[in-house]
Amino acid sequence: MQNHFDLVIIGGGPIGLNCAIEAKKARLNYIVIEKGVLVNSLYNFPTNMTFFSTSNLLEIGGVPFISHTDKPTRRESLEYFRRVQESWELNIQLYTTVERMTQESDLYQIETNKGRFSAKHVIVATGFYDTPRYLNVPGEKLPKVKHFYNDPHPYVGQKLIVIGAANSACDVALETYYKGAEVTMVIRESEIYPKVKYWIKPNIENRIKEEAIKAHFNSTVTEITEHEVHINTPEGPLTIENDFVLAMTGYKPNYALFKALGIDISENELKIPVHNAETLETNLPNVYVAGVINSGMQTSTLFIENTRVHSEMIIKAIQAKNPSLKSQ
């Protein structure tokens, strides 16, 4: 197997695929390394999820995204990006986990669980959905606590606590409620997140108002035990009987991977990978960051639709530094 490339792209999500398309247009010798399945983050979205974005805003590589409705589903998205990969015949190696990266002369040596890859240029496009924000409370590691949600069926007839008030939490609370779970929401803020999907927000607010779904606002979980959850509310401590906890508290970039690669992180609370805003080059020469990871912890600011331009920006920056690549 060939292991030396002009460009290694770490991450096989939509932006990683878009980077691969731009690399192929530029006739660069590239490979995409993905730790899981194709568009792994999208695959791990809830089974019945509907995107907020329209299908045309998710299109890449000139491949039409045909959806049955204005808002595409997870299933339609998985099929779409499979067709993108097939249409462009992208060079992708799946189930390959990057462990570390070192620099030797002008080349980067990328160590993975399936061997070493070397390249002069590297793009990191790993997203953030794979790394949850933990509660850091006692009992969080119990098997009944989940930070990812797939399907409502396991929660039929169960006492379920949903933590959070953004899109994921509201989607989960409603879907499990409609399938027969006894749902209680624990919400740190005083209200449902204002930017929840417009077709979801009034529904969840009405279910809370009629007490079909119970909600504790301005409250936090303090401990999780086998059969109970302890929360701190404005009225004082409260203990609730519980079978499962779905902690929909958001996600963050994989900072452990950034450290293993050698990418510096800003010292402020946003923890953004240090990069040049015009070229997206990091503190490491010829190493670039693309996609939503460029927002650091402020994960609600960048999405597929407003980071598609990163791919073209990076490939142009690579060509500008390496005129010989333009004629390949």
Side-chain angles (χ1 to χ4, degrees):
M1 181 183 70
Q2 178 186 357
N3 64 0
H4 176 69
F5 300 88
D6 296 325
L7 171 65
V8 166
I9 301 165
I10 303 174
I15 301 304
L17 299 186
N18 206 34
C19 289
I21 290 169
E22 292 301 321
K24 188 163 188 177
K25 288 180 182 177
R27 302 177 67 184
L28 299 181
N29 181 23
Y30 73 93
I31 189 171
V32 178
I33 300 175
E34 167 55 53
K35 72 175 183 179
V37 303
L38 185 71
V39 291
N40 192 68
S41 293
L42 301 191
Y43 177 76
N44 286 315
F45 281 176
T47 304
N48 299 319
M49 177 179 170
T50 299
F51 280 77
F52 187 84
S53 301
T54 57
S55 56
N56 66 302
L57 291 177
L58 299 176
E59 287 182 0
I60 61 173
V63 179
F65 191 154
I66 307 301
S67 173
H68 289 93
T69 62
D70 184 47
K71 308 291 186 183
T73 65
R74 166 188 172 273
R75 181 176 181 179
E76 290 172 330
S77 299
L78 293 178
E79 174 60 20
Y80 171 71
F81 288 110
R82 185 195 65 77
R83 287 194 296 107
V84 169
Q85 189 275 334
E86 187 177 72
S87 298
W88 281 92
E89 298 181 334
L90 299 177
N91 185 23
I92 304 175
Q93 180 157 323
L94 303 173
Y95 302 104
T96 303
T97 302
V98 173
E99 297 170 345
R100 69 185 65 85
M101 183 172 75
T102 57
Q103 188 172 11
E104 297 180 8
S105 186
D106 63 342
L107 292 179
Y108 288 98
Q109 304 295 332
I110 302 163
E111 300 287 347
T112 77
N113 64 324
K114 293 187 177 180
R116 174 185 290 189
F117 299 82
S118 65
K120 184 175 181 180
H121 309 91
V122 177
I123 298 176
V124 182
T126 49
F128 60 76
Y129 188 72
D130 290 334
T131 310
R133 300 190 194 196
Y134 290 104
L135 301 168
N136 296 316
V137 299
E140 187 173 12
K141 293 185 179 181
L142 287 171
K144 73 172 189 175
V145 182
K146 315 291 182 183
H147 292 88
F148 294 92
Y149 168 81
N150 295 316
D151 186 86
H153 190 75
Y155 310 108
V156 172
Q158 302 298 294
K159 292 180 171 61
L160 176 65
I161 283 184
V162 177
I163 304 173
N167 279 306
S168 294
C170 293
D171 277 339
V172 166
L174 286 169
E175 187 170 19
T176 53
Y177 161 71
Y178 285 125
K179 296 299 183 182
E182 182 181 320
V183 180
T184 299
M185 298 183 74
V186 179
I187 300 167
R188 184 175 55 187
E189 296 80 15
S190 60
E191 61 179 354
I192 294 296
Y193 182 55
K195 294 183 179 180
V196 165
K197 298 169 185 174
Y198 64 84
W199 64 91
I200 292 292
K201 191 171 184 288
N203 191 357
I204 189 69
E205 289 177 332
N206 287 333
R207 300 295 75 74
I208 291 172
K209 184 177 180 180
E210 69 186 17
E211 297 186 352
I213 292 175
K214 299 174 184 176
H216 297 280
F217 292 96
N218 298 307
S219 301
T220 56
V221 170
T222 57
E223 183 180 5
I224 302 169
T225 64
E226 193 68 40
H227 302 292
E228 296 174 331
V229 171
H230 302 275
I231 65 176
N232 190 24
T233 75
E235 292 75 35
L238 180 66
T239 298
I240 302 175
E241 287 188 40
N242 171 257
D243 298 308
F244 289 97
V245 175
L246 290 175
M248 302 290 99
T249 49
Y251 306 93
K252 62 182 181 180
N254 187 342
Y255 289 107
L257 175 62
F258 294 161
K259 183 177 180 180
L261 297 176
I263 296 175
D264 288 344
I265 304 299
S266 66
E267 296 181 357
N268 59 27
E269 67 276 5
L270 295 181
K271 299 181 68 177
I272 296 172
V274 173
H275 64 277
N276 181 307
E278 295 182 359
T279 65
L280 305 181
E281 188 173 20
T282 69
N283 59 289
L284 298 174
N286 300 322
V287 176
Y288 303 82
V289 281
V292 297
I293 57 174
N294 287 349
S295 64
M297 295 294 287
Q298 200 172 17
T299 54
S300 61
T301 59
L302 294 181
F303 308 94
I304 297 171
E305 56 263 39
N306 59 3
T307 58
R308 291 179 298 183
V309 296
H310 290 180
S311 309
E312 188 174 351
M313 289 169 63
I314 292 172
I315 298 303
K316 284 184 176 179
I318 289 174
Q319 291 179 318
K321 292 178 69 174
N322 301 269
S324 62
L325 292 178
K326 295 182 180 180
S327 60
Q328 285 191 6

